[in-house]
Every structure is written in structure tokens, then in C-alpha cells.
């Protein structure tokens, strides 16, 4: 840094000159702007007076010194390429950028973990997810990151809802499969009927009453423990009477060749009748749909698989698919609805598949429930209430068939309809009458309201 030589009107010795230079260096170190303020000049004057030199300041020389300082400050700024204000701004911007990047990485990590945990349920959403994740990854500002985060959170909610429906469908399938296993076991172990009959019935009730996977697992373990107890007590297998019937049935085949021939003819007749029934069902389906021969062939095998899974017959599944298609549903929706009908019939003791279909049709039409919402929107609600209150699934079905249209027209929800019906049936114990009463009462209330409004 150059020394500042100030013309004071007198000749200064070298010591005085060095003292002034030191004072100016201290002042320069405190400079934050490109010019000296009046306060700074005043400070210099006070410091010179305190030196008792008996001199006055040449303000012209002060201005020259100020110009020297300004040149020095400018050279420093040009060398750094930034002013103090820009430096502070850039420091603040750097800190903001660091926070933004940290938030972006945190959100990306969270959503990557979510995808790994929900890959099965989210498989059909893979393309949408890739786009939403890319929007988060490519966000350049806080506003873009916020928008992208909202989009991916909305997609996650949709995926969670789809996963919930999938889990409910799987649960109902497991439930009906376990009920079928218990029924098969009871038929094959009639010897235990006297001593363990009530326990076996309770096992069926426990499985039928389960409302989630955890409860179903508990009921399944209880049944396994009961089977082990029956086996340990030596009560497995058929009773003496059932064994005798079985042996007699086997022996009759040896009594005469005629019995064998007649039995074979009977089986052939039954087989032929079933083939005719299946063919008739397919004919009815083709009347109400317009698919290719390959599609009908694939559907036949699909119907056969559904029948095996749900303990129904292939003919019933085909017939119900035709019924749904006749109502205007597309082929795949009709197949799914036929499956829903079979499931409702399976989880509802003594309810046939035709009754289940009628219940779903009347309820769907009344409350405008979509085909893909039947399992969660109707079946689950009927089953949960039927397992926990005095009215069973058949009672609720009868009430809904008779009252759904009128109650929906009166702006009552499906839940309210079921609740009112079950409450009334606890007293009357006649579900058909309760359903008719709800319909009549609802229609009369609406009529009275219209009359009142007209007056």
C-alpha cells in the first residue's frame, strides 16, 4: 500500500509522517464504502489535533488521500470481481441452494423407499410413478419441488387405495378357501362329530367372522390345534355308520354287472347334461356380448378357474357373467362381477349365487356403485355387519333388495340403509318385512315432503 503524503502547510519530520501514515492505515481498514464520510474526515482531524503538532489540515490534500483510498478499494473490488453486497447475496443464495438440495434428496430417498415397499400394489402405476419421480428429481426451484411433491403424494394415495382393495380381495379369497377346508375336514372325519361337533362349528364361525388377515390367521391356527387334539384323541376318520355306508356302497358294485352298467350310464347322462348346460350358458353369453371365438375360449377356462377357487360350478359363473353382460357391462367387468357374486354367495351361509347377484344388482343401481368397487363397497360391508350383529348376510341381502332404490332416492347412504335394516330386524326378525317397511316409510316421507312444499 502506498504511503499518504498530506500537505499540512509545514514540513513534517519522518516520525510525524510515519505516525500519520499509521493512523490512515487504521482508518482504511474500517472503510466499507468507496468514499470517506464527513464523520471519517472529522475523525482524522480529531486525531491530528490530539497529536499536539500545532498544524492545520489542508482539505485539498485530504481529498487527494481520499482519492488514493478510493483507487485502492476499487482495485480490491476489481480483483475479487464482487462487491460486498454481492458477496453477502451470494453467500445467502448458496445457503438457500444447499437447503433446497437437501430437501430434494430427502424427498427422493423417501419415495424410492416407498416404491420398493409397494412394488406389487403399484405395478400398474409404474409409468406414472416414473414421471412423477422424474419431476421431483429435475426440480430446479422450491416452487417446482413443492408442485412435484404434491403430484407424487397424490399418486401414492391412489396406490395405497388400490393396495387396500387388493388386500381385501385376497383376504376374502383366503377366507372362503379356509371355510372350504374346514367343511372338507368335517365330511372326512364324521367320527369326531359327537364329541367335537360344537368345536368344529365354532371353528367355522371364527373363520367366517374374521374381518382381517390377522384374525383369519388366528382362526386358522385354532382350527389346526383342534385337528391335532382330535387326532390325539383317536377321533379322526369316518364314524362306524359312515364306514358301513361306504363299504356297502363299494360292495354293491360287485353284486351284479347290471349295477356297473347302470352306474356308468347314469354318469354318462349326467356328464352329457352338464355339457348341454354349459353349452346353453355359453350361447346365452354370446347373445349379449360381441367377442371373438378366441376370447370366448379364454373366458371358458377363466370361468372354470373361478369356479374352482370359489366352490361354484363353471355353469353358474358363465350364467352370472351373461346376466351382468345383459345389464350393459363390458365383458371383463361382467366376469369380475360374476366373481364378486360368487364370493358373496360363498361367504354367506345358505345364500345361492342367484340371490347374491340380485342383491348386488339392486344395490349397485340404487347407489351408483362402480363395477370395480363392489368388493369393498358392498360385499365387505354386508359381511362385516353380518358377522357382528344379529342379522346375517342373507337377512341384509333381503333388506337391500327391497329397500335400496327407495332409500337411495331419499338420500340415505348404503351404510344408513344397512344400519336401519339391522336395527329393525333385531325386533321383528323378518328381514323381508323390514326391507319392505323401509321402502314404504321412505316413500311416504318423501310424498309428505312434496305435498308440504307444494302447499
Amino acid at each position: 500500500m502506498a504511503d499518504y503524503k498530506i500537505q499540512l502547510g509545514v514540513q513534517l519530520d519522518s516520525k510525524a509522517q510515519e505516525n500519520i501514515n499509521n493512523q490512515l492505515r487504521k482508518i482504511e481498514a474500517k472503510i466499507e464504502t468507496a468514499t470517506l464520510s464527513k464523520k471519517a474526515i472529522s475523525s482524522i482531524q480529531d486525531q491530528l489535533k490530539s497529536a499536539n503538532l500545532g498544524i492545520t489540515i489542508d482539505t485539498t490534500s485530504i481529498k487527494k488521500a481520499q482519492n488514493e483510498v478510493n483507487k485502492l478499494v476499487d482495485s480490491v473490488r476489481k480483483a475479487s470481481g464482487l462487491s460486498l453486497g454481492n458477496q453477502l447475496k451470494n453467500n445467502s443464495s448458496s445457503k438457500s441452494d444447499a437447503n433446497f438440495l437437501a430437501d430434494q434428496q430427502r424427498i427422493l430417498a423417501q419415495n424410492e423407499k416407498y416404491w420398493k415397499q409397494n412394488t406389487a400394489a403399484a405395478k400398474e402405476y409404474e409409468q406414472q410413478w416414473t414421471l412423477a419421480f422424474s419431476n421431483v428429481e429435475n426440480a430446479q426451484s422450491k416452487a417446482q419441488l413443492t408442485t412435484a411433491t404434491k403430484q407424487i403424494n397424490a399418486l401414492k394415495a391412489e396406490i395405497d387405495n388400490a393396495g387396500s382393495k387388493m388386500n381385501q380381495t385376497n383376504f376374502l379369497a383366503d377366507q372362503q378357501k379356509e371355510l372350504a377346508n374346514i367343511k372338507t375336514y368335517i365330511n372326512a372325519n364324521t367320527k369326531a362329530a359327537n364329541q367335537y361337533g360344537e368345536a368344529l362349528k365354532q371353528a367355522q364361525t371364527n373363520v367366517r367372522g374374521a374381518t382381517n388377515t390377522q384374525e383369519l390367521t388366528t382362526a386358522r391356527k385354532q382350527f389346526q390345534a383342534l385337528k391335532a387334539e382330535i387326532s390325539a384323541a383317536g377321533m379322526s376318520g369316518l364314524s362306524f355308520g359312515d364306514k358301513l355306508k361306504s363299504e356297502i356302497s363299494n360292495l354293491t358294485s360287485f353284486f351284479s354287472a347290471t349295477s356297473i352298467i347302470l352306474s356308468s350310464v347314469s354318469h354318462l347322462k349326467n356328464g352329457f347334461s352338464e355339457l348341454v348346460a354349459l353349452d346353453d350358458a355359453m350361447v346365452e353369453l354370446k347373445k349379449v356380448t360381441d367377442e371373438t371365438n378366441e376370447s370366448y375360449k379364454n373366458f371358458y377356462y377363466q370361468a372354470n378357474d373361478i369356479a374352482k377357487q370359489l366352490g361354484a360350478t363353471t355353469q353358474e359363473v358363465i350364467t352370472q357373467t351373461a346376466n351382468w353382460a345383459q345389464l350393459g357391462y363390458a365383458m371383463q367387468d361382467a366376469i369380475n362381477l360374476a366373481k364378486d357374486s360368487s364370493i358373496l354367495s360363498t361367504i354367506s351361509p345358505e345364500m345361492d349365487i342367484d340371490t347374491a347377484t340380485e342383491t348386488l344388482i339392486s344395490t349397485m343401481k340404487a347407489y351408483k356403485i362402480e363395477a370395480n368397487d363392489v368388493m369393498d363397497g358392498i360385499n365387505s360391508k354386508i359381511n362385516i355387519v353380518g358377522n357382528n350383529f344379529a342379522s346375517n348376510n342373507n337377512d341384509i341381502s333381503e333388506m337391500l333388495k327391497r329397500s335400496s332404490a327407495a332409500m337411495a332416492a331419499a338420500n340415505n347412504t348404503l351404510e344408513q340403509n344397512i344400519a336401519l335394516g339391522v336395527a329393525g330386524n333385531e325386533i321383528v326378525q323378518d328381514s323381508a318385512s323390514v326391507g319392505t317397511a323401509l321402502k314404504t316409510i321412505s316413500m311416504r316421507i318423501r310424498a309428505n315432503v312434496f305435498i308440504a312444499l307444494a302447499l
Side-chain angles (χ1 to χ4, degrees):
M1 179 179 67
D3 292 338
Y4 299 103
K5 297 183 180 295
I6 306 175
Q7 300 298 324
L8 302 174
V10 296
Q11 183 66 38
L12 298 177
D13 59 25
S14 60
K15 184 176 181 181
Q17 177 68 44
E18 181 64 26
N19 183 36
I20 293 173
N21 280 331
N22 290 336
Q23 296 294 327
L24 289 173
R25 289 190 185 97
K26 293 179 182 179
I27 294 170
E28 181 190 25
K30 298 179 181 180
I31 293 177
E32 295 180 354
T33 61
T35 60
L36 292 173
S37 64
K38 292 181 179 180
K39 185 177 180 181
I41 296 173
S42 177
S43 174
I44 296 173
Q45 291 173 335
D46 291 342
Q47 292 179 53
L48 291 175
K49 287 179 181 180
S50 66
N52 296 318
L53 299 174
I55 59 178
T56 59
I57 298 176
D58 184 351
T59 57
T60 303
S61 298
I62 290 294
K63 290 181 179 179
K64 291 181 179 179
Q66 176 178 298
N67 290 335
E68 292 293 331
V69 172
N70 289 343
K71 290 178 181 179
L72 178 62
V73 172
D74 287 341
S75 65
V76 171
R77 287 178 176 172
K78 289 178 180 178
S80 64
L82 292 171
S83 67
L84 178 62
N86 287 334
Q87 290 176 0
L88 294 174
K89 182 177 180 182
N90 286 346
N91 289 339
S92 175
S93 177
S94 298
K95 184 176 181 182
S96 176
D97 289 344
N99 292 336
F100 167 77
L101 291 174
D103 289 342
Q104 186 180 42
Q105 293 304 315
R106 175 179 54 79
I107 294 170
L108 287 171
Q110 289 175 349
N111 287 298
E112 186 173 6
K113 181 179 179 181
Y114 173 87
W115 179 260
K116 290 179 180 178
Q117 294 175 342
N118 297 273
T119 302
K123 187 175 182 181
E124 62 180 283
Y125 296 90
E126 186 171 2
Q127 186 175 358
Q128 295 170 260
W129 179 269
T130 301
L131 177 60
F133 191 85
S134 177
N135 290 339
V136 175
E137 194 172 29
N138 296 327
Q140 299 295 322
S141 66
K142 186 176 181 180
Q144 291 179 355
L145 183 60
T146 300
T147 300
T149 303
K150 289 181 179 178
Q151 292 173 346
I152 206 167
N153 286 339
L155 182 58
K156 284 161 68 175
E158 187 175 348
I159 292 173
D160 290 339
N161 185 43
S164 176
K165 290 183 178 180
M166 180 186 297
N167 291 337
Q168 181 64 21
T169 301
N170 293 338
F171 163 73
L172 290 174
D174 289 342
Q175 185 182 46
Q176 61 85 23
K177 183 178 180 181
E178 188 62 21
L179 285 172
N181 289 339
I182 295 176
K183 185 177 180 180
T184 300
Y185 178 83
I186 292 174
N187 293 335
N189 295 274
T190 56
K191 188 176 179 180
N194 291 334
Q195 186 173 343
Y196 293 95
E198 290 300 321
L200 289 169
K201 288 181 180 180
Q202 185 60 46
Q204 288 179 302
T205 301
N206 292 342
V207 172
R208 190 177 291 116
T211 58
N212 55 57
T213 302
Q214 184 177 358
E215 292 178 1
L216 182 60
T217 300
T218 300
R220 185 183 288 115
K221 289 180 179 179
Q222 291 173 346
F223 176 60
Q224 294 297 330
L226 178 60
K227 285 170 61 177
E229 182 180 345
I230 292 173
S231 180
M235 302 297 291
S236 299
L238 297 173
S239 65
F240 175 76
D242 289 330
K243 283 184 178 179
L244 183 60
K245 290 178 182 178
S246 178
E247 292 299 330
I248 292 174
S249 176
N250 291 334
L251 287 173
T252 55
S253 61
F254 297 100
F255 289 162
S256 66
T258 305
S259 62
I260 298 176
I261 296 173
L262 291 176
S263 177
S264 299
V265 171
S266 176
H267 284 301
L268 287 172
K269 286 183 177 180
N270 290 336
F272 182 75
S273 298
E274 290 180 4
L275 288 173
V276 172
L278 286 172
D279 186 64
D280 290 342
M282 287 299 298
V283 169
E284 291 300 319
L285 178 64
K286 291 178 180 179
K287 288 180 179 179
V288 295
T289 57
D290 185 17
E291 301 290 333
T292 63
N293 291 332
E294 186 66 22
S295 297
Y296 287 123
K297 182 179 178 180
N298 292 335
F299 163 71
Y300 179 82
Y301 291 115
Q302 187 177 356
N304 191 37
D305 290 338
I306 293 173
K308 290 178 180 178
Q309 292 174 6
L310 303 177
T313 66
T314 305
Q315 179 194 349
E316 288 176 335
V317 175
I318 295 174
T319 300
Q320 297 310 316
T321 302
N323 290 340
W324 286 108
Q326 192 171 12
L327 292 173
Y329 290 98
M331 185 69 171
Q332 191 55 51
D333 285 339
I335 295 171
N336 292 334
L337 289 168
K339 185 176 180 180
D340 293 336
S341 300
S342 299
I343 290 175
L344 179 59
S345 174
T346 301
I347 63 177
S348 305
E350 301 179 1
M351 181 187 292
D352 58 52
I353 193 170
D354 290 330
T355 301
T357 301
E358 292 171 2
T359 300
L360 295 184
I361 291 173
S362 59
T363 307
M364 288 176 66
K365 293 297 183 181
Y367 290 100
K368 296 179 174 59
I369 296 174
E370 298 296 330
N372 56 353
D373 292 330
V374 170
M375 185 62 67
D376 188 50
I378 301 177
N379 285 1
S380 294
K381 293 175 181 178
I382 292 176
N383 195 45
I384 290 172
V385 175
N387 288 334
N388 292 280
F389 293 90
S391 299
N392 58 31
N393 291 4
N394 276 316
D395 293 331
I396 299 172
S397 174
E398 289 296 325
M399 289 183 291
L400 290 177
K401 285 193 295 182
R402 289 167 171 76
S403 63
S404 290
M407 295 292 283
N411 291 325
N412 293 107
T413 64
L414 176 59
E415 291 82 358
Q416 292 171 338
N417 193 356
I418 293 175
L420 288 170
V422 170
N425 195 51
E426 284 188 1
I427 300 172
V428 179
Q429 292 297 305
D430 186 345
S431 57
S433 298
V434 171
T436 302
L438 288 176
K439 177 183 71 174
T440 304
I441 293 171
S442 174
M443 292 174 66
R444 288 183 178 177
I445 290 174
R446 290 172 60 210
N448 289 334
V449 169
F450 288 146
I451 293 173
L453 292 174
L455 294 177

